[in-house]
């Protein structure tokens, strides 16, 4: 068992080294592209770097057990933090750096990057918990030969408490992974939305400007992301793809205000249009539940739709159970 663990640690170190080599190769291969971007417009690269949502609040996230976004009790996160603390105490400071670095460089996607060192350290944390349980349990069949759990793998693997603990850990984490899979598979375009997109593509001139209002959280709504590819019309409210443009953070917060108008009357929309110099031709309003990643479904609201139907400046050109499309009428 000890030889197997040492081999695993050596393999992990080789994988880390290979990752750095791969990163260097990618930088070299992509150099012609990003050097051209910098030479053409030096502000584009800096704009993209700023889209990580850097703020002081993100520095607190690594110290919370919620950063792993586990659907149930954060058992992997808890054992991972215990393992990281142990590794740092043993002098493996680079594990701690590996874990914290993404939250300073790119907080927006730090959860994904930090999951690798946390998962590795979770095994160490599990051993710590098993050692504690074995010390408190009187039903074990094997007595430890040392006080160092990292050297007594045989004891930890043969004790009854460890077998129960490992079995529970595996079943619980697999259940959590399955729950996450079900959540992700729900974030899809419904048939009703696809049909409305097909109608837009067939009946509205390409590159028409739309205000897409569905009140979704940022970066997790398939309606906004797939609007242009499937309709060939412009969505003036889609966030993805604008990271290289200036004032991206302002664009995100400004359009979040527009999304809130779904639950209000047309006065909210008019107030938003007054404060923003935006030319639009159509409004795509989704009033049903929006499948989102990491949050509950957003309930339907009919206030804005009914208000637009009663407005003289907007003409209802398409309607289904949860979707209304309005055309802006111009003065003759």
């Amino acid at each position: 068992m000890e030889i197997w663990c040492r081999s695993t640690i050596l393999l992990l170190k080789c994988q880390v080294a290979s990752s750095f080599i791969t990163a260097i190769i990618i930088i070299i291969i992509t150099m012609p592209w990003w050097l051209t971007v910098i030479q053409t417009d030096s502000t584009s690269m800096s704009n993209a770097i700023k889209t990580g949502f850097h703020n002081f609040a993100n520095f607190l996230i690594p110290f919370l057990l919620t950063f792993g976004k586990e659907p149930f009790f954060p058992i992997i996160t808890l054992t991972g933090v215990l393992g990281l603390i142990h590794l740092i105490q043993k002098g493996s400071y680079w594990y701690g750096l590996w874990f914290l670095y993404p939250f300073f460089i790119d907080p927006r996607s730090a959860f994904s990057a930090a999951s690798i060192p946390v998962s590795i350290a979770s095994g160490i944390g599990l051993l710590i918990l098993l050692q504690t349980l074995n010390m408190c349990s009187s039903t074990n069949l094997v007595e430890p030969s040392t006080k160092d759990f990292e050297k007594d793998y045989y004891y930890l693997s043969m004790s009854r408490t460890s077998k129960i603990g490992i079995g529970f850990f595996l079943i619980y984490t697999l259940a959590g992974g399955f729950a996450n899979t079900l959540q992700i598979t729900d974030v899809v375009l419904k048939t009703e939305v696809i049909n409305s997109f097909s109608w837009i593509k067939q009946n509205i001139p390409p590159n028409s400007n739309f205000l897409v209002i569905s009140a979704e959280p940022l970066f997790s709504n398939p309606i906004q992301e797939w609007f242009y590819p499937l309709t060939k019309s412009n969505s003036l409210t889609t966030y993805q793809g604008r990271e290289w443009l200036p004032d991206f953070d302002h664009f995100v917060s400004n359009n979040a205000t527009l999304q809130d108008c779904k639950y209000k009357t047309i006065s909210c929309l008019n107030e938003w249009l007054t404060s923003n110099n935006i030319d639009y031709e159509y409004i795509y309003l989704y009033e049903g539940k929006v499948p989102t990643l990491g949050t509950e479904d957003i309930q339907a609201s009919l206030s804005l739709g009914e208000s637009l139907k009663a407005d003289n400046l907007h003409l209802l050109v398409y309607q289904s159970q949860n979707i209304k499309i309005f055309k802006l009428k111009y003065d003759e």
Side-chain angles (χ1 to χ4, degrees), residues 73-146:
F73 181 79
I75 187 171
I76 297 178
T77 306
L78 176 62
T79 53
V81 171
L82 289 175
L84 285 170
I85 294 174
H86 175 79
L87 289 169
I88 293 173
Q89 288 179 339
K90 289 290 186 178
S92 299
Y93 301 108
W94 69 278
Y95 269 101
L97 179 62
W98 188 8
F99 167 64
L100 293 174
Y101 188 70
F103 292 94
F104 289 91
I105 299 301
D106 189 16
R108 176 176 162 185
S109 58
F111 306 99
S112 299
S115 64
I116 300 176
V118 170
S119 298
I120 296 174
S122 178
I124 302 296
L126 179 60
L127 292 178
I128 295 174
L129 289 180
L130 293 178
Q131 182 195 38
T132 303
L133 292 174
N134 279 303
M135 292 174 60
C136 299
S137 176
S138 59
T139 60
N140 294 311
L141 301 177
V142 181
E143 293 295 329
S145 59
T146 70

